[in-house]
């Protein structure tokens, strides 16, 4: 666990015409399980395949086809629950959620309403300003994804692609513990980070592999505290659900827009209808999609084709024993082991690949120096070129080689940046490049002193000025560095300049 202290962030407040209002947000995050096969069939889950090419008979609801559960999907759900410090239910069951839509061939979705696979858990959401919100997880259940209706390929017809039908989703349901748009985005980012560390969801929001339904309501200051004391939802306002959000930026915008809409209605004497809404980023508004169905509207009932799912504690314990180091623990270790700042450790552990890269570079070296080069030089360059760490042309071994050359005084910081540019664009072994191109730092004090003596002899007036104003000594340092092609050891140059000018 993190050995760090956080303050609770203040809730987002929006000023209405009559009152200040606070936001209350709960989220239902749909995370696609990282698995090669679907939840109840052996069909591929590959993204981008030809429409309707990844569809088994059971996915298409062909008569007589029965679902067979994918054990690996269950394992992934259990792994996610353990990563969120949640209770694992040894007995769970599947239910049919009945509704009719063109991209749902069965006319129902197999889900888990009454007995989910994972119970209550928690997520620590850091806000980067010394504050953090503990968001409670109510449950995680498994369910099938639906297909995709396509309306923009023909002016007269719609098409249906069933490739996603039957893909395993984990629906992660939070309590209404989130208090602002920024917190909502940070919560999604933290969930994504944890699942990517666990390998249970790739978190690709562009492909729809991670998307969220956002429940937004408003309340007057003090009302939320009453809800926390009593867990009585009547203290909170009526919520509206913003459906299928797959962008951090749009999630924040939609929450702000929806909250202001509700404030205007309530302050105008109206009431909020519980409903599902869609966010239109072009118009900057939410619009009604349908009135919010309660569970009985879906006519849930136990799926007669699937027995209750029973798992053994020993199996859960075995999964728990094999969990990787999670982000919070890795961050705490990086701070302790490598003497990093909270900020640097956060940046380096944001992605599992970045953390692995840094740790390989820092092994047996100065953690601070390694962090500086990974974050400022490498990450900075990658970001500029819109690449991520997996596309880095500089391997951990190469960057470590540059750091070793700095640490041994073979090259200066300035030469190191030139060397980094060569390695980044051309590749090669840093030590060999330094040797072949004559980039080694001049550490021979005799050679440095000879260059300095020539400069002093040629600039007597500048010498007198520097003796009166020691700040001007920097001019001599620059001249020596210039005379040696930037290869002189800066520390040695500074020491010699100071010695010469003070004599």
């Amino acid at each position: 666990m993190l050995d760090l202290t956080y303050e609770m962030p203040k809730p987002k407040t929006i000023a209405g015409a009559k009152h200040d209002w606070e936001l209350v947000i709960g989220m239902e995050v749909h995370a696609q399980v990282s698995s090669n096969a679907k939840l109840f069939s052996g069909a591929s889950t590959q993204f981008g395949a030809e429409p309707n090419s990844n569809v088994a008979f059971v996915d298409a609801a062909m008569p007589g086809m029965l679902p067979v559960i994918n054990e690996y999907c269950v394992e992934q759900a259990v792994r996610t629950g353990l990563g969120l410090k949640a209770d694992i239910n040894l007995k769970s069951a599947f239910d049919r959620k009945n509704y009719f839509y063109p991209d749902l061939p069965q006319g129902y979705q197999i889900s888990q309403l009454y007995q989910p696979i994972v119970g209550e858990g928690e997520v620590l959401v850091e806000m980067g300003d010394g504050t953090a919100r503990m968001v409670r997880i109510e449950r995680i259940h498994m369910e099938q994804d639906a297909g995709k209706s396509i309306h923009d390929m023909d002016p007269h017809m719609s098409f249906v692609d069933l490739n996603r039908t039957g893909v395993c989703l984990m629906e992660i349901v939070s309590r209404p513990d989130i208090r602002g748009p920024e917190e909502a985005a940070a919560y999604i980012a933290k969930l994504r980070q944890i699942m990517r560390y666990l390998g249970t969801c790739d978190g690709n929001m562009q492909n729809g592999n991670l998307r969220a339904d956002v429940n937004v309501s408003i309340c007057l200051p003090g009302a939320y505290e009453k809800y926390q004391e009593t867990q009585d939802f009547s203290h909170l306002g009526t919520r509206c659900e913003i459906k299928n959000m797959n962008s951090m930026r749009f999630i924040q915008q939609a929450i702000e827009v929806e909250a202001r809409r509700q404030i205007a209605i309530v302050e105008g004497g109206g009431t909020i209808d519980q409903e599902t809404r869609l966010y239109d980023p072009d118009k900057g508004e939410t619009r009604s999609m349908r009135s919010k169905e309660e569970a009985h509207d879906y006519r849930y009932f136990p799926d007669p084709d699937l027995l209750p799912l029973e798992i053994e504690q020993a199996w859960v314990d075995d999964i728990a024993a094999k969990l990787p180091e999670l982000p919070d623990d890795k961050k705490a270790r990086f701070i302790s082991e490598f003497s990093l700042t909270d900020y640097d450790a956060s940046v380096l552990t944001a992605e599992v690949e970045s953390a692995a890269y840094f740790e390989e570079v820092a092994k047996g070296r100065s953690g601070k120096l390694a962090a500086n080069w990974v974050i400022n030089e490498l990450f900075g360059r990658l970001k500029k070129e819109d690449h991520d760490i997996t596309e880095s042309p500089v391997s951990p071994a190469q960057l470590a080689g540059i750091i070793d050359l700095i640490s041994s005084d073979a090259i200066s910081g300035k030469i190191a940046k030139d060397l980094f540019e060569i390695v980044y664009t051309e590749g090669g072994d840093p030590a060999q490049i330094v040797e072949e191109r004559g980039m080694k730092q001049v550490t021979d004090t005799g050679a440095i002193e000879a260059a300095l003596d020539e400069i002093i002899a040629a600039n007597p007036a500048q010498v007198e000025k520097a003796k009166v104003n020691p700040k001007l000594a920097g001019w001599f340092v620059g001249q020596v560095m210039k005379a040696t092609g930037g290869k002189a050891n800066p520390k040695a140059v500074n020491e010699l300049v100071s010695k010469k000018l003070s004599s």
Side-chain angles (χ1 to χ4, degrees):
M1 286 294 295
L2 278 172
D3 186 22
L4 301 171
T5 302
Y6 295 99
E7 293 182 10
M8 186 77 76
K10 294 180 180 179
K12 169 83 172 182
T13 301
I14 296 178
K18 299 178 181 178
H19 307 284
D20 285 343
W21 296 87
E22 292 180 358
L23 277 62
V24 181
I25 302 160
M27 304 191 80
E28 299 165 14
V29 175
H30 296 85
Q32 180 178 321
V33 168
S34 292
S35 169
N36 292 329
K38 297 181 181 181
L39 180 55
F40 296 114
S41 84
S44 171
T45 60
Q46 180 190 7
F47 180 80
E50 286 293 314
N52 299 303
S53 61
N54 293 343
V55 186
F57 288 142
V58 69
D59 304 323
M62 293 296 177
M65 296 296 104
L66 296 176
V68 178
I69 196 163
N70 181 340
E71 181 180 334
Y72 184 69
C73 289
V74 178
E75 182 180 335
Q76 291 286 65
V78 170
R79 187 176 286 111
T80 301
L82 292 169
L84 299 180
K85 303 178 179 64
D87 299 327
I88 306 301
N89 296 323
L90 299 182
K91 184 174 182 179
S92 59
F94 289 96
D95 306 290
R96 288 187 180 180
K97 179 182 180 181
N98 294 276
Y99 64 96
F100 295 93
Y101 208 70
D103 59 14
L104 194 69
Q106 295 164 313
Y108 59 84
Q109 178 189 38
I110 302 178
S111 184
Q112 293 185 308
L113 174 66
Y114 302 108
Q115 295 176 277
I117 183 75
V118 177
E120 294 183 348
E122 62 184 30
V123 178
L124 181 70
V125 181
E126 300 167 57
M127 299 305 298
D129 58 357
T131 65
R133 176 81 64 191
M134 185 63 77
V135 178
R136 295 170 296 164
I137 301 298
E138 180 181 323
R139 56 187 277 145
I140 302 175
H141 62 261
M142 293 183 291
E143 64 184 20
Q144 296 172 301
D145 202 353
K148 182 180 181 182
S149 296
I150 303 165
H151 308 293
D152 57 0
M153 289 180 64
D154 189 281
H156 307 293
M157 294 186 293
S158 291
F159 297 87
V160 175
D161 180 5
L162 299 181
N163 277 349
R164 292 187 71 96
T165 304
V167 166
C168 182
L169 299 179
M170 296 178 288
E171 182 167 339
I172 306 170
V173 182
S174 83
R175 298 284 185 181
D177 291 348
I178 302 165
R179 306 303 310 282
E182 296 80 12
E183 284 186 23
Y187 168 73
I188 295 287
K190 188 59 176 285
L191 273 184
R192 178 183 182 275
Q193 180 192 37
I194 291 171
M195 289 188 290
R196 280 177 54 77
Y197 266 70
L198 291 166
T200 57
C201 174
D202 67 15
N204 191 321
M205 299 185 79
Q206 285 185 318
N207 293 353
N209 296 355
L210 187 68
R211 52 195 192 268
D213 299 337
V214 186
N215 291 288
V216 180
S217 66
I218 56 170
C219 68
L220 292 171
Y224 184 81
E225 286 69 24
K226 292 179 182 177
Y227 154 71
Q228 287 285 46
E229 290 173 10
T230 63
Q231 295 299 299
D232 183 352
F233 285 96
S234 67
H235 293 294
L236 305 179
T238 301
R239 72 183 187 273
C240 289
E241 180 183 52
I242 309 170
K243 199 75 174 171
N244 282 331
M245 304 293 295
N246 66 345
S247 159
M248 302 286 196
R249 180 163 60 93
F250 289 163
I251 285 172
Q252 294 182 73
Q253 292 175 2
I255 291 171
E256 185 92 17
V257 166
E258 175 59 20
R260 292 186 183 279
R261 183 190 74 87
Q262 293 183 20
I263 290 169
I265 292 172
V266 173
E267 291 197 337
T271 56
I272 304 299
D273 294 325
Q274 185 175 341
E275 61 182 352
T276 298
R277 301 181 68 84
L278 292 175
Y279 175 62
D280 186 334
D282 296 324
K283 295 183 179 180
E285 64 180 23
T286 64
R287 60 174 182 268
S288 182
M289 181 180 176
R290 61 177 181 264
S291 61
K292 178 64 178 176
E293 302 94 337
E294 295 297 340
H296 58 79
D297 290 326
Y298 286 118
R299 300 298 188 270
Y300 277 96
F301 63 84
D303 192 299
D305 292 334
L306 290 161
L307 290 170
L309 179 62
E310 295 187 13
I311 58 179
E312 296 179 352
Q313 185 62 50
W315 186 63
V316 175
D317 292 343
D318 184 58
I319 295 172
K322 296 175 182 176
L323 288 182
E325 185 179 36
L326 293 174
D328 286 349
D329 297 322
K330 191 175 289 290
K331 176 183 172 180
R333 181 170 64 79
F334 277 13
I335 291 172
S336 172
E337 187 175 325
F338 299 111
S339 302
L340 302 184
T341 63
D342 182 276
Y343 172 79
D344 284 354
S346 294
V347 171
L348 292 166
T349 57
E351 296 288 349
V352 62
E353 296 88 355
S354 298
Y357 186 104
F358 164 75
E359 194 152 15
E360 195 171 337
V361 172
K363 189 174 182 179
R365 299 175 180 87
S366 164
K368 291 182 178 179
L369 186 59
N372 179 56
W373 275 87
V374 171
I375 294 172
N376 297 325
E377 301 302 327
L378 182 62
F379 286 1
R381 181 63 176 271
L382 291 172
K383 184 177 181 181
K384 184 178 177 181
E385 299 184 359
D386 198 25
H387 294 314
D388 62 37
I389 191 66
T390 62
E391 302 168 298
S392 172
V394 181
S395 70
Q398 287 173 314
L399 188 55
I402 294 173
I403 292 171
D404 287 342
L405 290 166
I406 297 170
S407 300
S408 66
D409 280 338
I411 59 174
S412 64
K414 181 181 181 304
I415 295 173
K417 292 190 176 184
D418 295 336
L419 176 60
F420 176 82
E421 179 65 25
I422 295 169
V423 173
Y424 191 96
T425 56
E426 301 175 25
D429 175 62
Q432 189 175 344
I433 292 169
V434 166
E435 194 67 43
E436 291 176 352
R437 303 196 186 189
M439 299 174 71
K440 272 193 174 180
Q441 184 170 238
V442 177
T443 55
D444 179 2
T445 54
I448 296 172
E449 187 172 10
L452 177 57
D453 286 341
E454 285 185 21
I455 293 165
I456 288 175
N459 298 276
Q462 193 70 18
V463 171
E464 293 306 316
K465 289 179 183 178
K467 286 185 176 181
V468 175
N469 183 2
K471 291 183 179 179
L472 297 178
W475 182 85
F476 290 93
V477 174
Q479 291 300 305
V480 173
M481 295 303 292
K482 184 178 178 181
T484 59
K487 297 177 184 176
N489 184 314
K491 183 180 178 183
V493 173
N494 275 284
E495 289 176 352
L496 281 170
V497 167
S498 177
K499 180 181 176 183
K500 294 279 184 180
L501 296 180
S502 62
S503 60

